[in-house]
């Protein structure tokens, strides 16, 4: 269906006068009448009742008036969205984050600020480990990641990164086992059972914990694996073992669990934002600009 003919039809339908409709469209009346005739031939129905005194819409014309207005408006909206998308003001932004990231107030503030500035950009949020984010970025499955890389992990060259926030790793233990709040040496815990993440695609928190234990001279005995840190803390409260978690989890630590500092120098951890160096989406660049 020709959009120009629909525009001509709507002008006549609104004015119910060919002369005024032609003036509104900045065209002469004969070409306008021709467009209406062609539209009626295309539709196979009469759209207007014409007389010397008046022009009125037929029942078919009334129905088309409603639908034609929707079509023209959708066409205008689509064009506007395309222009906005070309400048990063509309589209879809796929964001992945590790489990602890939503606990940082700054993360919520960043998302809220972006949605306020660019309400036409759809945010697709999903949970991924650090290793999964690297794989998803290089495969083009996500646009931006918020990860917790271990100190030994090196971000691949095609990926751009920026450290955002820092905290530290702490020992999580049942409150009944916490004698004081002094830093604990990991080497003293070599024989203890641990509740830790299962081994996953590398580079993140699990690898950091294993490295700390290795430096302390032992490999942790994982008595109970758990994928979610909140689950790990609940299992610590149940007495299934000790754990090592980021200090940001103090905000949601369940009753019966105490977080104590570790004495090891490499306990510090960080959250980094990453994306491909050559990001194809303008929305990615708009998101990076929030950091400035």
């Amino acid at each position: 269906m020709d959009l120009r003919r629909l525009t001509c039809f709507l002008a006549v339908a609104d004015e119910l006068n060919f002369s005024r409709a032609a003036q509104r469209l900045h065209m002469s009346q004969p070409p306008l009448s021709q467009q209406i005739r062609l539209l009626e031939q295309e539709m196979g129905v009469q759209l207007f009742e014409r007389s010397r005194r008046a022009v009125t819409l037929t029942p078919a014309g009334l129905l088309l008036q409603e639908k034609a207005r929707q079509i023209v408006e959708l066409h205008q909206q689509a064009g506007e969205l395309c222009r906005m998308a070309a400048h990063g003001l509309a589209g879809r932004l796929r964001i992945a984050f590790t489990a602890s990231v939503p606990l940082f107030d700054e993360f919520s503030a960043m998302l809220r600020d972006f949605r306020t500035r660019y309400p036409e950009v759809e945010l697709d949020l999903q949970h991924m480990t650090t290793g999964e984010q690297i794989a998803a970025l290089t495969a083009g499955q996500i646009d931006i990641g918020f990860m917790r890389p271990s100190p030994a992990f090196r971000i691949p060259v095609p990926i751009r990164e920026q450290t955002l926030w820092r905290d530290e790793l702490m020992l999580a233990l049942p409150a009944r086992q916490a004698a004081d709040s002094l830093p604990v040496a990991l080497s003293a815990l070599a024989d203890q059972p641990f509740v830790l993440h299962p081994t996953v695609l590398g580079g993140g928190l699990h690898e950091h914990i294993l490295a700390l234990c290795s430096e302390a001279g032992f490999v942790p005995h994982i008595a109970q694996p758990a994928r979610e840190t909140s689950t790990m803390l609940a299992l610590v409260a149940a007495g299934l073992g000790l754990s090592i978690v980021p200090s940001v989890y103090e905000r949601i630590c369940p009753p019966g669990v105490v977080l104590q500092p570790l004495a090891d120098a490499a306990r510090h951890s960080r959250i980094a934002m990453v994306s491909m160096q050559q990001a194809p989406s303008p929305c990615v660049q708009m998101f990076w600009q929030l950091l400035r």
Side-chain angles (χ1 to χ4, degrees):
M1 186 177 293
D2 191 304
L3 189 67
R4 181 167 176 267
R5 289 177 190 166
L6 286 182
T7 303
C8 291
F9 164 77
L10 284 174
V12 178
D14 290 343
E15 300 291 345
L16 292 178
N17 184 287
F18 276 79
S19 178
R20 289 198 300 271
Q23 292 176 3
R24 170 173 157 180
L25 296 171
H26 305 289
M27 62 189 300
S28 60
Q29 186 171 332
L32 175 60
S33 299
Q34 182 183 21
Q35 290 297 318
I36 298 300
R37 284 195 298 271
L38 291 172
L39 181 60
E40 289 178 326
Q41 291 173 10
E42 180 182 353
M43 302 293 293
V45 295
Q46 184 177 347
L47 300 173
F48 294 100
E49 293 284 358
R50 305 168 179 83
S51 69
R52 291 184 177 180
R53 293 186 176 182
V55 175
T56 58
L57 285 161
T58 65
L62 284 169
L63 180 61
L64 180 61
Q65 183 183 30
E66 177 185 353
K67 299 300 181 182
R69 201 178 307 280
Q70 294 174 2
I71 292 171
V72 171
E73 289 176 354
L74 284 174
H75 178 268
Q76 293 172 345
Q77 291 171 9
E80 179 63 21
L81 284 174
C82 288
R83 287 186 290 273
M84 293 174 67
H87 294 87
L89 303 178
R92 182 165 170 254
L93 193 61
R94 300 164 300 173
I95 299 176
F97 53 87
T98 57
S100 61
V101 168
L103 297 178
F104 288 88
D105 292 338
E106 296 88 347
F107 180 68
S108 300
M110 186 178 294
L111 295 182
R112 186 167 57 249
D113 189 12
F114 188 82
R115 285 177 60 88
T116 300
R117 293 174 184 236
Y118 312 109
E120 297 299 329
V121 177
E122 175 189 356
L123 296 182
D124 180 359
L125 304 171
Q126 50 189 311
H127 170 229
M128 289 185 180
T129 66
T130 292
E132 289 170 341
Q133 288 184 44
I134 294 295
L137 270 175
T138 55
Q141 297 170 346
I142 62 173
D143 302 304
I144 288 177
F146 289 82
M147 59 177 57
R148 186 184 285 273
S150 68
F153 184 65
R154 295 295 175 264
I155 304 292
V157 172
I159 294 178
R160 173 187 185 185
E161 71 158 318
Q162 173 68 51
T163 296
L164 299 182
W165 315 301
R166 298 182 185 273
D167 58 0
E168 61 184 77
L169 301 186
M170 302 184 74
L171 177 68
L173 69 165
R176 59 182 178 274
Q177 292 183 227
D180 52 48
S181 59
L182 296 177
V184 178
L186 264 180
S187 57
L189 306 173
D191 297 328
Q192 294 289 327
F194 279 85
V195 179
L196 294 175
H197 297 108
T199 301
V200 293
L201 189 60
L205 178 61
H206 183 74
E207 286 68 24
H208 193 172
I209 293 171
L210 293 183
L212 282 176
C213 294
S214 178
E215 291 172 6
F218 71 99
V219 175
H221 166 56
I222 303 179
Q224 178 62 55
R227 183 172 175 84
E228 302 294 337
T229 306
S230 56
T231 303
M232 288 166 45
L233 291 171
L235 296 178
V236 169
L240 273 69
L242 310 180
S243 191
I244 298 175
V245 301
S247 56
V248 72
Y249 277 93
E250 287 180 311
R251 299 183 173 194
I252 61 169
C253 202
V257 176
V258 172
L259 298 189
Q260 285 191 225
L262 292 169
D264 305 81
R267 66 183 184 273
H268 299 288
S269 184
R270 68 188 180 101
I271 299 295
M273 189 174 101
V274 295
S275 69
M276 297 302 292
Q277 288 279 9
Q278 302 298 325
S281 169
C283 294
V284 175
Q285 302 305 324
M286 305 300 288
F287 201 93
W288 274 99
Q289 288 182 11
L290 289 181
L291 300 183
R292 304 193 186 103

